[in-house]
Amino acid sequence: QVQLVESGGGLVKPGGSLRLSCAASRFTFSDYSMSWIRQAPGKGLEWISYITTSGSSIYYADSVKGRFTISRDNAKNSLYLQMNSLRAEDTAVYYCARVPLVDNDSFDIWGQGTMVTVAS
Amino acid sequence: SYELTQPPSVSVSPGQTASITCSGGKLGDKYASWYQQRPGQSPVLVIFQDNKRPSGIPERFSGSNSGNTATLTISGTQSMDEADYYCQAWDSTTAGYVFGTGTRVTVL
């Protein structure tokens, strides 16, 4: 079964850094664009970043631009999110999601999420 | 920035039809997608490209999109359909994906 598994979440102090990983399995990872999406406790979904298959195009939400960096390693079937200068408002469950081949406007596979808590 | 607005909650009786709206400027010119999120679970895509169902999604889920409003319709609602639902679109102006505010569907 097609699967995405996030890891790397945890508790970090304001101003700190964290690197999230997303391991893909049972599909050809290099064929798909990917995104990170987060959900603060009790809140809605917020898209934060997107990367094309080769990494040639990358987009960020304004809320994380300049602080977060998305990247991928197709040889390792992995997606990453480097998060710097973390703030309390970055506290959320972070999901990686696949953009389907037939439709660049949606997300067809989601991971289980990894929790990031920013607190002193 | 582009915004998508949904009603906070919708209540429906078992077997009846639930309709969830999603409003945004010229949304009909974009593709709308819909996600179901049950408590404690990851979102699941239920509608893409306005009205297409991914494999495995029941036929009782349908979608439409015109003007400024996209609509997700659940026909013959079942208790298992109780969840939060989010609409979503790609905004080319800001080069970003946008999610709606979310609607909690309660099956009474």
Side-chain angles (χ1 to χ4, degrees), chain A residues 23-118:
Chain A
S25 59
R26 301 184 183 87
F27 68 95
T28 305
F29 179 71
S30 58
D31 285 348
Y32 291 84
S33 298
M34 300 291 295
S35 268
W36 287 98
I37 295 154
R38 68 185 180 184
Q39 186 170 35
K43 303 296 185 182
L45 300 170
E46 180 189 15
W47 168 81
I48 57 174
S49 189
Y50 163 93
I51 186 169
T52 52
T53 55
S54 63
S56 58
S57 290
I58 287 173
Y59 304 118
Y60 296 100
D62 287 344
S63 58
V64 305
K65 201 173 294 182
R67 300 187 301 123
F68 290 11
T69 302
I70 191 173
S71 63
R72 65 190 297 161
D73 185 336
N74 288 338
K76 294 183 177 180
N77 293 327
S78 293
L79 177 72
Y80 305 103
L81 185 68
Q82 177 66 44
M83 304 186 296
N84 299 330
S85 303
L86 283 162
R87 307 165 179 166
E89 54 265 35
D90 295 319
T91 294
V93 174
Y94 284 74
Y95 297 101
C96 63
R98 188 180 81 171
V99 178
L101 295 177
V102 297
D103 173 30
N104 209 42
D105 292 355
S106 66
F107 308 103
D108 66 342
I109 302 295
W110 296 60
Q112 87 289 350
T114 186
M115 182 70 202
V116 172
T117 303
V118 184

Side-chain angles (χ1 to χ4, degrees), chain B residues 34-36 44-48 52-54 57 61 72 85:
Chain B
W34 291 89
Y35 302 85
Q36 175 194 68
V44 172
L45 178 67
V46 295
I47 293 290
F48 69 99
K52 296 180 172 62
R53 281 179 292 103
I57 300 301
F61 289 90
L72 174 70
Y85 291 83

Side-chain angles (χ1 to χ4, degrees), chain B residues 7-84:
Chain B
S9 62
V10 167
S11 297
V12 60
S13 300
Q16 298 305 302
T17 297
S19 294
I20 306 166
T21 58
C22 173
S23 299
K26 295 184 178 181
L27 180 56
D29 292 345
K30 311 176 191 300
Y31 276 136
S33 303
W34 291 89
Y35 302 85
Q36 175 194 68
Q37 187 178 31
R38 295 190 175 108
Q41 297 187 17
S42 301
V44 172
L45 178 67
V46 295
I47 293 290
F48 69 99
Q49 289 184 346
D50 296 339
N51 54 23
K52 296 180 172 62
R53 281 179 292 103
S55 173
I57 300 301
E59 290 185 9
R60 63 179 182 274
F61 289 90
S62 63
S64 63
N65 185 17
S66 179
N68 296 322
T69 304
T71 303
L72 174 70
T73 302
I74 311 173
S75 304
T77 306
Q78 301 180 9
S79 58
M80 66 187 300
D81 300 329
E82 195 163 271
D84 292 330

